[in-house]
Short mmCIF file of all heavy atoms in Angstrom, two decimals:
data_model
loop_
_atom_site.label_atom_id
_atom_site.label_comp_id
_atom_site.label_asym_id
_atom_site.label_seq_id
_atom_site.Cartn_x
_atom_site.Cartn_y
_atom_site.Cartn_z
N MET N 104 92.73 22.19 54.36
CA MET N 104 93.38 21.08 53.70
C MET N 104 93.89 21.58 52.35
O MET N 104 93.18 22.24 51.63
CB MET N 104 92.40 19.93 53.49
CG MET N 104 93.02 18.81 52.73
SD MET N 104 91.98 17.43 52.15
CE MET N 104 90.66 17.33 53.24
N ARG N 105 95.11 21.26 52.06
CA ARG N 105 95.70 21.65 50.79
C ARG N 105 95.49 20.53 49.78
O ARG N 105 95.63 19.35 50.09
CB ARG N 105 97.19 21.90 50.96
CG ARG N 105 97.87 22.19 49.64
CD ARG N 105 98.96 23.21 49.73
NE ARG N 105 99.39 23.51 48.38
CZ ARG N 105 100.58 23.21 47.90
NH1 ARG N 105 101.46 22.63 48.66
NH2 ARG N 105 100.89 23.50 46.66
N ILE N 106 95.15 20.92 48.57
CA ILE N 106 94.98 19.95 47.49
C ILE N 106 96.19 20.08 46.57
O ILE N 106 96.55 21.18 46.14
CB ILE N 106 93.67 20.22 46.72
CG1 ILE N 106 92.49 20.04 47.68
CG2 ILE N 106 93.56 19.29 45.52
CD1 ILE N 106 91.16 20.39 47.09
N PHE N 107 96.82 18.94 46.27
CA PHE N 107 98.01 18.92 45.44
C PHE N 107 97.67 18.47 44.03
O PHE N 107 96.78 17.65 43.84
CB PHE N 107 99.05 17.94 46.02
CG PHE N 107 99.58 18.37 47.36
CD1 PHE N 107 99.04 17.85 48.53
CD2 PHE N 107 100.60 19.28 47.46
CE1 PHE N 107 99.51 18.23 49.77
CE2 PHE N 107 101.09 19.67 48.69
CZ PHE N 107 100.54 19.15 49.85
N SER N 108 98.43 18.98 43.08
CA SER N 108 98.28 18.51 41.71
C SER N 108 98.94 17.12 41.61
O SER N 108 99.67 16.69 42.50
CB SER N 108 98.96 19.47 40.73
OG SER N 108 100.37 19.38 40.85
N LYS N 109 98.66 16.46 40.51
CA LYS N 109 99.24 15.13 40.28
C LYS N 109 100.76 15.20 40.31
O LYS N 109 101.42 14.37 40.93
CB LYS N 109 98.75 14.59 38.93
CG LYS N 109 99.34 13.25 38.54
CD LYS N 109 98.86 12.82 37.16
CE LYS N 109 99.49 13.75 36.16
NZ LYS N 109 99.66 13.27 34.83
N ASP N 110 101.33 16.20 39.64
CA ASP N 110 102.79 16.34 39.59
C ASP N 110 103.38 16.67 40.96
O ASP N 110 104.42 16.13 41.34
CB ASP N 110 103.19 17.41 38.58
CG ASP N 110 102.88 17.01 37.15
OD1 ASP N 110 102.84 15.78 36.87
OD2 ASP N 110 102.66 17.91 36.31
N GLU N 111 102.71 17.53 41.72
CA GLU N 111 103.19 17.86 43.07
C GLU N 111 103.19 16.61 43.95
O GLU N 111 104.15 16.37 44.68
CB GLU N 111 102.30 18.93 43.70
CG GLU N 111 102.46 20.31 43.12
CD GLU N 111 101.47 21.30 43.68
OE1 GLU N 111 100.28 20.93 43.83
OE2 GLU N 111 101.88 22.43 43.99
N MET N 112 102.13 15.84 43.88
CA MET N 112 102.04 14.64 44.71
C MET N 112 103.09 13.62 44.31
O MET N 112 103.69 12.96 45.17
CB MET N 112 100.63 14.03 44.61
CG MET N 112 100.29 13.10 45.75
SD MET N 112 100.19 13.98 47.31
CE MET N 112 101.48 13.19 48.21
N TYR N 113 103.34 13.49 43.01
CA TYR N 113 104.38 12.57 42.55
C TYR N 113 105.73 12.98 43.13
O TYR N 113 106.48 12.12 43.63
CB TYR N 113 104.44 12.57 41.01
CG TYR N 113 105.56 11.70 40.49
CD1 TYR N 113 105.39 10.32 40.39
CD2 TYR N 113 106.78 12.25 40.12
CE1 TYR N 113 106.42 9.52 39.93
CE2 TYR N 113 107.81 11.45 39.65
CZ TYR N 113 107.63 10.09 39.55
OH TYR N 113 108.66 9.29 39.11
N ASN N 114 106.03 14.28 43.10
CA ASN N 114 107.31 14.76 43.63
C ASN N 114 107.40 14.54 45.14
O ASN N 114 108.46 14.16 45.65
CB ASN N 114 107.50 16.24 43.30
CG ASN N 114 107.76 16.47 41.82
OD1 ASN N 114 108.26 15.60 41.12
ND2 ASN N 114 107.38 17.64 41.34
N ILE N 115 106.32 14.77 45.85
CA ILE N 115 106.30 14.53 47.30
C ILE N 115 106.53 13.05 47.59
O ILE N 115 107.30 12.68 48.48
CB ILE N 115 104.98 15.03 47.91
CG1 ILE N 115 104.92 16.55 47.85
CG2 ILE N 115 104.82 14.52 49.34
CD1 ILE N 115 103.54 17.12 48.16
N ASP N 116 105.84 12.19 46.83
CA ASP N 116 106.02 10.74 47.01
C ASP N 116 107.47 10.33 46.77
O ASP N 116 108.05 9.56 47.54
CB ASP N 116 105.11 9.96 46.07
CG ASP N 116 103.66 9.93 46.52
OD1 ASP N 116 103.39 10.38 47.66
OD2 ASP N 116 102.81 9.47 45.74
N GLN N 117 108.06 10.82 45.70
CA GLN N 117 109.44 10.46 45.38
C GLN N 117 110.41 10.92 46.46
O GLN N 117 111.32 10.19 46.84
CB GLN N 117 109.85 11.05 44.02
CG GLN N 117 109.14 10.43 42.84
CD GLN N 117 109.26 8.91 42.84
OE1 GLN N 117 110.32 8.35 42.96
NE2 GLN N 117 108.11 8.25 42.71
N GLU N 118 110.19 12.13 46.96
CA GLU N 118 111.05 12.65 48.03
C GLU N 118 110.91 11.81 49.29
O GLU N 118 111.89 11.50 49.97
CB GLU N 118 110.68 14.11 48.32
CG GLU N 118 111.62 14.79 49.28
CD GLU N 118 111.29 16.26 49.43
OE1 GLU N 118 110.85 16.89 48.45
OE2 GLU N 118 111.48 16.77 50.55
N THR N 119 109.69 11.41 49.61
CA THR N 119 109.45 10.57 50.79
C THR N 119 110.11 9.21 50.63
O THR N 119 110.75 8.70 51.56
CB THR N 119 107.93 10.39 51.01
OG1 THR N 119 107.34 11.68 51.17
CG2 THR N 119 107.65 9.55 52.25
N ILE N 120 109.99 8.63 49.45
CA ILE N 120 110.61 7.33 49.18
C ILE N 120 112.13 7.42 49.35
O ILE N 120 112.74 6.56 49.98
CB ILE N 120 110.23 6.84 47.76
CG1 ILE N 120 108.75 6.44 47.74
CG2 ILE N 120 111.11 5.68 47.32
CD1 ILE N 120 108.19 6.22 46.34
N GLU N 121 112.73 8.48 48.82
CA GLU N 121 114.19 8.64 48.88
C GLU N 121 114.68 8.98 50.28
O GLU N 121 115.66 8.41 50.75
CB GLU N 121 114.63 9.71 47.89
CG GLU N 121 114.45 9.29 46.44
CD GLU N 121 114.67 10.44 45.47
OE1 GLU N 121 115.18 11.50 45.89
OE2 GLU N 121 114.30 10.27 44.29
N LYS N 122 114.03 9.92 50.96
CA LYS N 122 114.53 10.40 52.25
C LYS N 122 114.16 9.50 53.42
O LYS N 122 114.95 9.31 54.34
CB LYS N 122 114.02 11.82 52.52
CG LYS N 122 114.68 12.86 51.66
CD LYS N 122 114.26 14.24 52.06
CE LYS N 122 115.01 15.26 51.21
NZ LYS N 122 114.62 16.63 51.57
N ILE N 123 112.95 8.96 53.42
CA ILE N 123 112.48 8.16 54.56
C ILE N 123 112.66 6.67 54.31
O ILE N 123 112.79 5.90 55.24
CB ILE N 123 111.02 8.51 54.90
CG1 ILE N 123 110.94 9.98 55.31
CG2 ILE N 123 110.47 7.62 56.01
CD1 ILE N 123 109.57 10.47 55.64
N GLY N 124 112.61 6.28 53.06
CA GLY N 124 112.79 4.88 52.74
C GLY N 124 111.50 4.08 52.66
O GLY N 124 111.54 2.85 52.61
N LEU N 125 110.37 4.76 52.66
CA LEU N 125 109.10 4.05 52.47
C LEU N 125 108.94 3.71 51.00
O LEU N 125 109.29 4.50 50.14
CB LEU N 125 107.92 4.92 52.91
CG LEU N 125 107.79 5.24 54.38
CD1 LEU N 125 106.62 6.18 54.62
CD2 LEU N 125 107.62 3.99 55.21
N ASN N 126 108.39 2.54 50.73
CA ASN N 126 108.15 2.22 49.32
C ASN N 126 106.75 2.68 48.92
O ASN N 126 105.94 3.08 49.76
CB ASN N 126 108.36 0.73 49.04
CG ASN N 126 107.37 -0.15 49.78
OD1 ASN N 126 106.21 0.19 49.92
ND2 ASN N 126 107.83 -1.30 50.25
N ASN N 127 106.47 2.62 47.64
CA ASN N 127 105.20 3.11 47.12
C ASN N 127 104.00 2.38 47.75
O ASN N 127 102.98 2.99 48.03
CB ASN N 127 105.17 2.98 45.59
CG ASN N 127 104.04 3.74 44.97
OD1 ASN N 127 103.77 4.87 45.38
ND2 ASN N 127 103.37 3.14 44.01
N GLY N 128 104.13 1.09 47.98
CA GLY N 128 103.06 0.32 48.60
C GLY N 128 102.72 0.83 49.99
O GLY N 128 101.55 0.92 50.37
N MET N 129 103.76 1.15 50.77
CA MET N 129 103.54 1.68 52.11
C MET N 129 102.85 3.04 52.06
O MET N 129 101.97 3.33 52.87
CB MET N 129 104.86 1.82 52.87
CG MET N 129 105.50 0.52 53.24
SD MET N 129 107.09 0.89 54.04
CE MET N 129 107.68 -0.74 54.38
N LEU N 130 103.25 3.87 51.10
CA LEU N 130 102.62 5.18 50.96
C LEU N 130 101.14 5.03 50.62
O LEU N 130 100.29 5.72 51.18
CB LEU N 130 103.31 6.00 49.86
CG LEU N 130 104.73 6.47 50.15
CD1 LEU N 130 105.31 7.18 48.94
CD2 LEU N 130 104.76 7.38 51.36
N MET N 131 100.83 4.10 49.72
CA MET N 131 99.43 3.88 49.34
C MET N 131 98.63 3.33 50.52
O MET N 131 97.48 3.70 50.73
CB MET N 131 99.35 2.93 48.14
CG MET N 131 99.92 3.52 46.86
SD MET N 131 99.12 5.07 46.38
CE MET N 131 97.50 4.47 45.97
N GLU N 132 99.23 2.43 51.28
CA GLU N 132 98.55 1.88 52.45
C GLU N 132 98.26 2.98 53.47
O GLU N 132 97.15 3.07 54.00
CB GLU N 132 99.39 0.78 53.09
CG GLU N 132 98.69 0.10 54.25
CD GLU N 132 99.50 -1.05 54.84
OE1 GLU N 132 100.40 -1.56 54.15
OE2 GLU N 132 99.20 -1.42 55.98
N ASN N 133 99.25 3.82 53.73
CA ASN N 133 99.05 4.93 54.67
C ASN N 133 97.97 5.88 54.17
O ASN N 133 97.14 6.36 54.95
CB ASN N 133 100.36 5.70 54.89
CG ASN N 133 101.37 4.91 55.68
OD1 ASN N 133 101.03 3.93 56.34
ND2 ASN N 133 102.62 5.31 55.59
N ALA N 134 97.96 6.17 52.88
CA ALA N 134 96.95 7.06 52.31
C ALA N 134 95.56 6.43 52.44
O ALA N 134 94.60 7.11 52.81
CB ALA N 134 97.27 7.34 50.84
N GLY N 135 95.46 5.15 52.18
CA GLY N 135 94.18 4.46 52.31
C GLY N 135 93.66 4.48 53.73
O GLY N 135 92.46 4.69 53.97
N GLN N 136 94.55 4.29 54.69
CA GLN N 136 94.15 4.33 56.10
C GLN N 136 93.68 5.73 56.50
O GLN N 136 92.71 5.88 57.23
CB GLN N 136 95.30 3.88 56.99
CG GLN N 136 95.59 2.40 56.90
CD GLN N 136 96.84 1.99 57.68
OE1 GLN N 136 97.59 2.84 58.17
NE2 GLN N 136 97.07 0.70 57.78
N ALA N 137 94.37 6.75 55.99
CA ALA N 137 93.97 8.13 56.30
C ALA N 137 92.59 8.43 55.73
O ALA N 137 91.76 9.07 56.39
CB ALA N 137 95.00 9.11 55.76
N VAL N 138 92.33 7.97 54.52
CA VAL N 138 91.02 8.18 53.90
C VAL N 138 89.94 7.44 54.71
O VAL N 138 88.87 8.00 54.99
CB VAL N 138 91.01 7.71 52.43
CG1 VAL N 138 89.61 7.67 51.86
CG2 VAL N 138 91.90 8.62 51.59
N ALA N 139 90.22 6.22 55.12
CA ALA N 139 89.26 5.44 55.90
C ALA N 139 88.95 6.14 57.23
O ALA N 139 87.78 6.19 57.65
CB ALA N 139 89.79 4.03 56.15
N ARG N 140 89.98 6.68 57.90
CA ARG N 140 89.76 7.40 59.16
C ARG N 140 88.88 8.63 58.95
O ARG N 140 87.99 8.93 59.75
CB ARG N 140 91.09 7.80 59.80
CG ARG N 140 91.80 6.68 60.51
CD ARG N 140 92.97 7.19 61.35
NE ARG N 140 93.94 7.96 60.59
CZ ARG N 140 94.99 7.43 59.95
NH1 ARG N 140 95.21 6.12 59.98
NH2 ARG N 140 95.83 8.20 59.28
N GLU N 141 89.13 9.34 57.87
CA GLU N 141 88.34 10.55 57.58
C GLU N 141 86.89 10.19 57.29
O GLU N 141 85.96 10.85 57.78
CB GLU N 141 88.95 11.31 56.40
CG GLU N 141 88.24 12.60 56.07
CD GLU N 141 88.29 13.64 57.17
OE1 GLU N 141 89.22 13.64 57.99
OE2 GLU N 141 87.37 14.49 57.19
N ILE N 142 86.66 9.15 56.52
CA ILE N 142 85.29 8.70 56.22
C ILE N 142 84.59 8.29 57.50
O ILE N 142 83.44 8.67 57.76
CB ILE N 142 85.30 7.55 55.20
CG1 ILE N 142 85.73 8.09 53.83
CG2 ILE N 142 83.95 6.87 55.12
CD1 ILE N 142 86.00 7.01 52.80
N GLU N 143 85.29 7.53 58.35
CA GLU N 143 84.71 7.09 59.62
C GLU N 143 84.33 8.29 60.49
O GLU N 143 83.24 8.33 61.08
CB GLU N 143 85.69 6.18 60.36
CG GLU N 143 85.17 5.67 61.68
CD GLU N 143 86.16 4.79 62.41
OE1 GLU N 143 87.38 5.03 62.29
OE2 GLU N 143 85.72 3.88 63.11
N SER N 144 85.20 9.28 60.55
CA SER N 144 84.94 10.47 61.34
C SER N 144 83.70 11.21 60.83
O SER N 144 82.84 11.63 61.60
CB SER N 144 86.16 11.40 61.29
OG SER N 144 85.87 12.64 61.86
N ARG N 145 83.60 11.34 59.52
CA ARG N 145 82.45 12.05 58.94
C ARG N 145 81.15 11.27 59.15
O ARG N 145 80.11 11.86 59.41
CB ARG N 145 82.69 12.31 57.46
CG ARG N 145 83.77 13.35 57.24
CD ARG N 145 83.99 13.63 55.80
NE ARG N 145 85.11 14.55 55.63
CZ ARG N 145 85.22 15.38 54.63
NH1 ARG N 145 84.30 15.42 53.68
NH2 ARG N 145 86.26 16.19 54.54
N ILE N 146 81.22 9.97 59.05
CA ILE N 146 80.02 9.14 59.27
C ILE N 146 79.56 9.28 60.72
O ILE N 146 78.37 9.40 60.99
CB ILE N 146 80.28 7.67 58.89
CG1 ILE N 146 80.36 7.55 57.36
CG2 ILE N 146 79.19 6.76 59.45
CD1 ILE N 146 80.78 6.18 56.87
N LYS N 147 80.51 9.26 61.67
CA LYS N 147 80.14 9.41 63.08
C LYS N 147 79.46 10.74 63.33
O LYS N 147 78.48 10.82 64.07
CB LYS N 147 81.37 9.26 63.97
CG LYS N 147 81.84 7.83 64.11
CD LYS N 147 83.07 7.75 64.99
CE LYS N 147 83.53 6.30 65.12
NZ LYS N 147 84.73 6.19 65.96
N LYS N 148 79.96 11.81 62.69
CA LYS N 148 79.34 13.12 62.84
C LYS N 148 77.93 13.12 62.26
O LYS N 148 77.00 13.70 62.83
CB LYS N 148 80.18 14.20 62.16
CG LYS N 148 81.47 14.51 62.88
CD LYS N 148 82.31 15.50 62.13
CE LYS N 148 83.67 15.69 62.79
NZ LYS N 148 84.55 16.54 61.99
N MET N 149 77.75 12.47 61.11
CA MET N 149 76.43 12.40 60.49
C MET N 149 75.46 11.62 61.37
O MET N 149 74.30 12.00 61.51
CB MET N 149 76.54 11.76 59.10
CG MET N 149 77.20 12.66 58.08
SD MET N 149 77.56 11.88 56.49
CE MET N 149 76.02 11.15 56.06
N ILE N 150 75.93 10.54 61.98
CA ILE N 150 75.08 9.73 62.86
C ILE N 150 74.64 10.55 64.07
O ILE N 150 73.47 10.52 64.47
CB ILE N 150 75.79 8.43 63.28
CG1 ILE N 150 75.89 7.48 62.08
CG2 ILE N 150 75.08 7.76 64.45
CD1 ILE N 150 76.77 6.26 62.31
N ARG N 151 75.57 11.33 64.65
CA ARG N 151 75.21 12.18 65.79
C ARG N 151 74.16 13.21 65.38
O ARG N 151 73.19 13.45 66.10
CB ARG N 151 76.45 12.87 66.36
CG ARG N 151 77.31 11.96 67.21
CD ARG N 151 78.32 12.73 68.04
NE ARG N 151 79.23 13.53 67.25
CZ ARG N 151 80.42 13.13 66.81
NH1 ARG N 151 80.85 11.91 67.08
NH2 ARG N 151 81.19 13.93 66.11
N LEU N 152 74.34 13.81 64.22
CA LEU N 152 73.39 14.80 63.74
C LEU N 152 72.02 14.17 63.50
O LEU N 152 71.00 14.70 63.93
CB LEU N 152 73.90 15.44 62.44
CG LEU N 152 72.95 16.42 61.77
CD1 LEU N 152 72.66 17.61 62.69
CD2 LEU N 152 73.53 16.89 60.45
N LEU N 153 72.00 13.01 62.86
CA LEU N 153 70.73 12.33 62.61
C LEU N 153 70.04 11.94 63.91
O LEU N 153 68.82 12.03 64.03
CB LEU N 153 70.95 11.09 61.74
CG LEU N 153 71.33 11.38 60.28
CD1 LEU N 153 71.69 10.08 59.57
CD2 LEU N 153 70.22 12.11 59.57
N SER N 154 70.84 11.54 64.89
CA SER N 154 70.28 11.18 66.20
C SER N 154 69.63 12.40 66.85
O SER N 154 68.53 12.31 67.40
CB SER N 154 71.38 10.62 67.09
OG SER N 154 70.89 10.33 68.36
N LEU N 155 70.30 13.55 66.77
CA LEU N 155 69.73 14.77 67.34
C LEU N 155 68.46 15.17 66.60
O LEU N 155 67.46 15.56 67.21
CB LEU N 155 70.74 15.91 67.27
CG LEU N 155 71.94 15.81 68.21
CD1 LEU N 155 72.95 16.91 67.90
CD2 LEU N 155 71.49 15.89 69.66
N LEU N 156 68.48 15.06 65.28
CA LEU N 156 67.30 15.39 64.49
C LEU N 156 66.14 14.46 64.83
O LEU N 156 65.00 14.89 64.96
CB LEU N 156 67.62 15.32 62.99
CG LEU N 156 68.53 16.41 62.45
CD1 LEU N 156 68.89 16.12 61.01
CD2 LEU N 156 67.87 17.78 62.57
N GLU N 157 66.45 13.18 64.96
CA GLU N 157 65.42 12.19 65.29
C GLU N 157 64.78 12.52 66.63
O GLU N 157 63.57 12.51 66.77
CB GLU N 157 66.00 10.79 65.31
CG GLU N 157 64.98 9.73 65.66
CD GLU N 157 65.60 8.35 65.81
OE1 GLU N 157 66.81 8.27 66.11
OE2 GLU N 157 64.86 7.38 65.63
N ARG N 158 65.60 12.84 67.62
CA ARG N 158 65.08 13.18 68.95
C ARG N 158 64.20 14.43 68.88
O ARG N 158 63.16 14.50 69.50
CB ARG N 158 66.22 13.40 69.94
CG ARG N 158 66.78 12.08 70.44
CD ARG N 158 67.76 12.33 71.57
NE ARG N 158 69.01 11.73 71.13
CZ ARG N 158 70.20 12.15 71.45
NH1 ARG N 158 70.35 13.19 72.24
NH2 ARG N 158 71.28 11.55 71.01
N GLY N 159 64.63 15.39 68.06
CA GLY N 159 63.85 16.62 67.91
C GLY N 159 62.51 16.35 67.25
O GLY N 159 61.46 16.84 67.69
N ILE N 160 62.51 15.54 66.22
CA ILE N 160 61.27 15.21 65.52
C ILE N 160 60.34 14.41 66.42
O ILE N 160 59.14 14.68 66.49
CB ILE N 160 61.57 14.44 64.21
CG1 ILE N 160 62.25 15.37 63.20
CG2 ILE N 160 60.31 13.84 63.61
CD1 ILE N 160 62.84 14.66 62.00
N MET N 161 60.89 13.45 67.14
CA MET N 161 60.06 12.63 68.04
C MET N 161 59.48 13.51 69.15
O MET N 161 58.33 13.35 69.54
CB MET N 161 60.87 11.48 68.63
CG MET N 161 61.33 10.46 67.60
SD MET N 161 59.99 9.81 66.59
CE MET N 161 59.17 8.77 67.78
N GLY N 162 60.25 14.44 69.65
CA GLY N 162 59.76 15.34 70.69
C GLY N 162 58.62 16.21 70.19
O GLY N 162 57.63 16.43 70.88
N GLU N 163 58.75 16.70 68.95
CA GLU N 163 57.68 17.50 68.37
C GLU N 163 56.42 16.66 68.17
O GLU N 163 55.30 17.14 68.40
CB GLU N 163 58.13 18.10 67.04
CG GLU N 163 59.18 19.17 67.19
CD GLU N 163 59.74 19.64 65.86
OE1 GLU N 163 59.19 19.25 64.81
OE2 GLU N 163 60.72 20.40 65.88
N MET N 164 56.59 15.40 67.75
CA MET N 164 55.43 14.53 67.54
C MET N 164 54.73 14.26 68.87
O MET N 164 53.50 14.26 68.96
CB MET N 164 55.85 13.24 66.86
CG MET N 164 56.27 13.43 65.42
SD MET N 164 56.90 11.93 64.67
CE MET N 164 55.39 11.02 64.43
N GLU N 165 55.51 14.03 69.92
CA GLU N 165 54.93 13.79 71.24
C GLU N 165 54.16 15.02 71.70
O GLU N 165 53.07 14.91 72.27
CB GLU N 165 56.01 13.43 72.25
CG GLU N 165 56.60 12.05 72.06
CD GLU N 165 57.73 11.76 73.04
OE1 GLU N 165 57.84 12.46 74.07
OE2 GLU N 165 58.51 10.84 72.75
N LEU N 166 54.72 16.20 71.48
CA LEU N 166 54.06 17.44 71.87
C LEU N 166 52.72 17.58 71.12
O LEU N 166 51.72 17.91 71.72
CB LEU N 166 54.97 18.63 71.57
CG LEU N 166 54.40 20.01 71.92
CD1 LEU N 166 54.16 20.11 73.43
CD2 LEU N 166 55.36 21.10 71.47
N LEU N 167 52.71 17.28 69.83
CA LEU N 167 51.48 17.36 69.05
C LEU N 167 50.44 16.37 69.57
O LEU N 167 49.25 16.70 69.64
CB LEU N 167 51.75 17.09 67.57
CG LEU N 167 52.47 18.20 66.81
CD1 LEU N 167 52.83 17.73 65.41
CD2 LEU N 167 51.59 19.45 66.74
N LEU N 168 50.87 15.18 69.95
CA LEU N 168 49.93 14.19 70.47
C LEU N 168 49.30 14.66 71.77
O LEU N 168 48.12 14.42 72.02
CB LEU N 168 50.62 12.84 70.66
CG LEU N 168 51.00 12.10 69.36
CD1 LEU N 168 51.82 10.86 69.70
CD2 LEU N 168 49.75 11.71 68.58
N HIS N 169 50.08 15.33 72.60
CA HIS N 169 49.55 15.81 73.87
C HIS N 169 48.59 16.97 73.66
O HIS N 169 47.64 17.13 74.41
CB HIS N 169 50.68 16.24 74.81
CG HIS N 169 51.46 15.08 75.37
ND1 HIS N 169 50.90 14.16 76.21
CD2 HIS N 169 52.75 14.70 75.19
CE1 HIS N 169 51.81 13.26 76.54
NE2 HIS N 169 52.94 13.56 75.92
N VAL N 170 48.84 17.76 72.65
CA VAL N 170 47.96 18.91 72.38
C VAL N 170 46.60 18.44 71.89
O VAL N 170 45.57 18.98 72.28
CB VAL N 170 48.62 19.85 71.34
CG1 VAL N 170 47.64 20.92 70.88
CG2 VAL N 170 49.85 20.49 71.94
N PHE N 171 46.57 17.40 71.08
CA PHE N 171 45.31 16.91 70.53
C PHE N 171 44.80 15.85 71.45
O PHE N 171 43.87 15.32 71.57
CB PHE N 171 45.49 16.37 69.11
CG PHE N 171 45.83 17.45 68.13
CD1 PHE N 171 47.11 17.61 67.63
CD2 PHE N 171 44.86 18.37 67.73
CE1 PHE N 171 47.41 18.61 66.73
CE2 PHE N 171 45.16 19.35 66.82
CZ PHE N 171 46.44 19.49 66.32
#
């Protein structure tokens, strides 16, 4: 992922507004949706990882109970 400076992003926004015809509000809405999708994706990955960890911990606890 490339990170843009404030000035670079301003220039990209202006070019998009002029060439494509999107207004600033539409650009902000699209950016917000992209951020929300990325957060959702990362949360889903974290939930899967936690689920795997939980199953692993529970399995180890069950094994310990059987040993004793």
Side-chain angles (χ1 to χ4, degrees):
M104 176 189 332
R105 175 143 187 247
I106 298 175
F107 295 97
S108 71
K109 177 183 69 155
D110 293 333
E111 288 174 317
M112 200 66 242
Y113 177 81
N114 290 333
I115 291 168
D116 284 351
Q117 291 307 310
E118 187 175 326
T119 302
I120 289 168
E121 291 170 13
K122 288 186 177 180
I123 298 178
L125 293 177
N126 64 38
N127 193 43
M129 291 177 180
L130 292 176
M131 293 303 292
E132 184 176 341
N133 290 342
Q136 289 173 352
V138 169
R140 282 191 304 271
E141 183 63 26
I142 290 170
E143 181 181 32
S144 171
R145 290 181 185 209
I146 288 173
K147 285 180 180 179
K148 288 176 186 174
M149 289 172 51
I150 289 171
R151 283 194 301 268
L152 175 61
L153 290 173
S154 177
L155 289 173
L156 290 173
E157 179 186 26
R158 281 188 237 149
I160 292 169
M161 295 306 288
E163 290 173 9
M164 290 175 74
E165 288 177 18
L166 180 63
L167 287 173
L168 290 173
H169 288 295
V170 170
F171 293 106

